[in-house]
Amino acid sequence: MATTTTPQDVETTIVESLVTFGADPAEVKRDATLEAIDVDSLDLVELTQVIEETYGIDLDGADFTSIRTVGDVVDLVVTRIQG
Amino acid sequence: MTSAPLLLTGATGFVGMEVLARVLEQSDRDVIALVRAPDDAAAQARVDDLLGMLVAPAVRPHRGRVRGVAADLESPDLGLSHAVRERIACSISAIVHCAASISFTLPIDGARRINVDGTREVVRLAMQAQDHGMLERFVHVSTAYVAGDRIGLVSEHDGDVGQGFRNTYERTKLEAEEVVRDSGLPAAIVRPSIIVGDSATGWTQAFNVIYWPLQAFARGLFPTVPADPRARVDIVPVDTVADALLALLRGPVRGGAFHIVSGDRAPTNRQVATMAAAAFDAEPPRFVRPGEDARAEERAGALLPYFRVRCTFDAHRARDLLGVTPPPLEEYFPSLMRYARQSRWGKQPSPRWGAGSTRRAA
């Protein structure tokens, strides 16, 4: 599965989740900060669960300390899948 | 009959704004609101914004009844000039002190500056008003959790009995009570437990504290909870807290401490988690022992110690002297969850006057 996952797939998964949390689809861009699109701490918990279930990787709180934008989340997940 | 103005601190906080709205809706009394702002014009602008959210356009004459005054709990003399202090002290007949830091994680010095030194400054202003023969009532908003880590029944008469504290919030709120008690003012101390939205409409402006785990249960994000399933979680709706504060402003009783709590009718952690999950068709969580799920404990963060509360608050005085008892949580829980759903847990808030259908419209 992981071998066929592209960065674009990851981005799509993450953007779709953020939209279900209530973010405006027009605003969920790679350079949008999580704060600007109103992502709160529980949204992050749910997003983590979605990512872990979809890609079979483990994330913890420390992974998110330097995350600011949607693109940062995508890059983190892509790096983990490849690692 | 018109009473002299009320001085209110913390009007922009959840309890303070409910007091403000009630006083405007239910009396002719004017209000002086001390709010944090660079100057009085900015303070008035904050107050006007607040009123827009609190009271319906049809009753906007309220607007002229609230004067915003720029002040700061952390500044000497509350940051008020001598002349302004004197003018306030000569005009008010009551003070409700709601302003506080409710952060569980502030370092002790910062928490003390706001909660203890700030209360000392408000008390000094109260004594100045008393010297002018004006002050009739002083109501201090505290918290039932000044009881800290006590076990068993906690009386409204109890203060410092050597208890330990979960955080700097509990410690500094108890120290603030001592400042009020030692002042000799004819003061009432109101100690609510965990405050949630209005029992009729569910409206809240503060989706914090208990709403975080409630939302987590509702979204199925807390599959395991590091809590004692049988421990009580004591919750009260904001309207009950406001009823008590208004009773202390208008009724025959004006002194002593009052628990505004569910007491021995408070539900258990398991009951609350089950209700929240059921309201959103989520799986109820599984309760695990301390140490069993480090990740769940990390997620609970500063709330974790509140998952293991082992005391029950007695509320005889509130019931017998103020006639105030909260409704059972299961009765108004659907209203809370309805507003939580409608406002997306505060991401799309409604004004207070627009929440629910038929509320007291002044």
Side-chain angles (χ1 to χ4, degrees), chain B residues 236-273:
Chain B
V236 288
V238 70
D239 42 306
T240 302
V241 179
D243 285 345
L245 294 169
L246 270 284
L248 285 163
L249 278 179
R250 297 194 291 218
V253 180
R254 42 183 92 180
F258 302 88
H259 278 154
I260 310 303
V261 298
S262 292
D264 57 13
R265 297 190 312 157
T268 64
N269 280 327
R270 190 193 296 284
Q271 287 168 327
V272 173

Side-chain angles (χ1 to χ4, degrees), chain B residues 39-56:
Chain B
D39 54 45
D40 285 351
Q44 190 64 48
R46 277 192 86 184
V47 164
D48 289 342
D49 276 355
L50 180 65
L51 291 178
M53 177 176 73
L54 292 179
V55 292

Side-chain angles (χ1 to χ4, degrees), chain B:
Chain B
M1 193 191 80
T2 306
S3 318
L6 163 73
L7 181 82
L8 178 62
T9 74
T12 55
F14 185 40
V15 172
M17 67 177 69
E18 185 65 28
V19 171
L20 178 62
R22 295 284 191 100
V23 169
L24 294 177
E25 286 167 353
Q26 300 174 9
S27 76
D28 297 329
R29 196 167 203 169
D30 288 347
V31 178
I32 299 171
L34 297 186
V35 295
R36 213 163 14 187
D39 54 45
D40 285 351
Q44 190 64 48
R46 277 192 86 184
V47 164
D48 289 342
D49 276 355
L50 180 65
L51 291 178
M53 177 176 73
L54 292 179
V55 292
V59 275
R60 282 295 150 74
H62 285 331
R63 213 167 261 251
R65 292 176 49 199
V66 189
R67 188 152 64 86
V69 174
D72 179 8
L73 276 187
E74 294 182 76
S75 295
D77 298 335
L78 299 168
L80 302 172
S81 71
H82 179 79
V84 169
R85 279 181 76 89
E86 192 61 15
R87 211 160 51 235
I88 291 173
C90 289
S91 66
I92 56 169
S93 64
I95 295 180
V96 177
H97 177 36
C98 299
S101 163
I102 57 168
S103 164
F104 293 158
T105 54
L106 266 193
I108 185 71
D109 289 349
R112 275 206 179 107
R113 265 199 307 279
I114 300 170
N115 290 345
V116 187
D117 299 344
T119 296
R120 195 172 285 118
E121 289 292 348
V122 176
V123 162
R124 278 186 53 224
L125 182 57
M127 295 177 91
Q128 196 172 330
Q130 200 180 32
D131 289 344
H132 286 288
M134 287 298 293
L135 193 80
E136 292 165 4
R137 299 171 193 246
F138 184 94
V139 186
H140 171 75
V141 179
S142 184
T143 169
Y145 295 95
V146 295
D149 61 5
R150 290 185 58 183
I151 295 171
L153 194 67
V154 175
S155 151
E156 290 157 297
H157 297 288
D158 295 347
D160 183 358
V161 297
Q163 66 266 50
F165 300 101
R166 296 178 186 87
N167 49 50
T168 58
Y169 169 69
E170 294 183 349
R171 178 184 295 277
T172 56
K173 289 300 282 183
L174 181 64
E175 291 173 2
E177 285 194 4
E178 283 162 4
V179 167
V180 171
R181 227 178 264 116
D182 293 347
S183 70
L185 287 168
I189 293 172
V190 172
R191 293 174 178 161
S193 55
I194 300 166
I195 304 172
V196 294
D198 186 277
S199 63
T201 66
W203 187 81
T204 176
Q205 174 270 347
F207 276 98
N208 55 15
V209 193
I210 190 72
Y211 280 95
W212 194 85
L214 288 178
Q215 187 186 0
F217 299 143
R219 289 168 70 170
L221 295 177
F222 250 163
T224 66
V225 190
D228 178 351
R230 291 157 308 168
R232 283 204 169 102
V233 47
D234 198 305
I235 293 172
V236 288
V238 70
D239 42 306
T240 302
V241 179
D243 285 345
L245 294 169
L246 270 284
L248 285 163
L249 278 179
R250 297 194 291 218
V253 180
R254 42 183 92 180
F258 302 88
H259 278 154
I260 310 303
V261 298
S262 292
D264 57 13
R265 297 190 312 157
T268 64
N269 280 327
R270 190 193 296 284
Q271 287 168 327
V272 173
T274 303
M275 278 196 288
F280 286 80
D281 295 322
E283 282 289 308
R286 194 166 61 83
F287 285 85
V288 294
R289 284 174 210 286
E292 215 173 288
D293 186 344
R295 196 165 173 183
E297 293 183 16
E298 184 194 319
R299 275 181 190 163
L303 288 179
L304 185 60
Y306 291 98
F307 290 174
R308 295 165 192 153
V309 174
R310 290 188 292 168
C311 70
T312 303
F313 303 107
D314 177 66
H316 268 87
R317 285 173 47 84
R319 193 188 60 210
D320 298 345
L321 299 177
L322 305 182
V324 168
T325 306
L329 181 65
E330 58 270 25
E331 258 176 34
Y332 63 92
F333 199 76
S335 302
L336 299 181
M337 294 300 100
R338 196 165 48 239
Y339 182 68
R341 179 181 283 118
Q342 177 201 323
S343 69
R344 299 191 79 125
W345 299 91
K347 282 188 180 181
Q348 290 163 17
S350 303
R352 173 179 176 276
W353 52 268
S357 43
T358 55
R359 65 165 305 129
R360 37 181 183 263

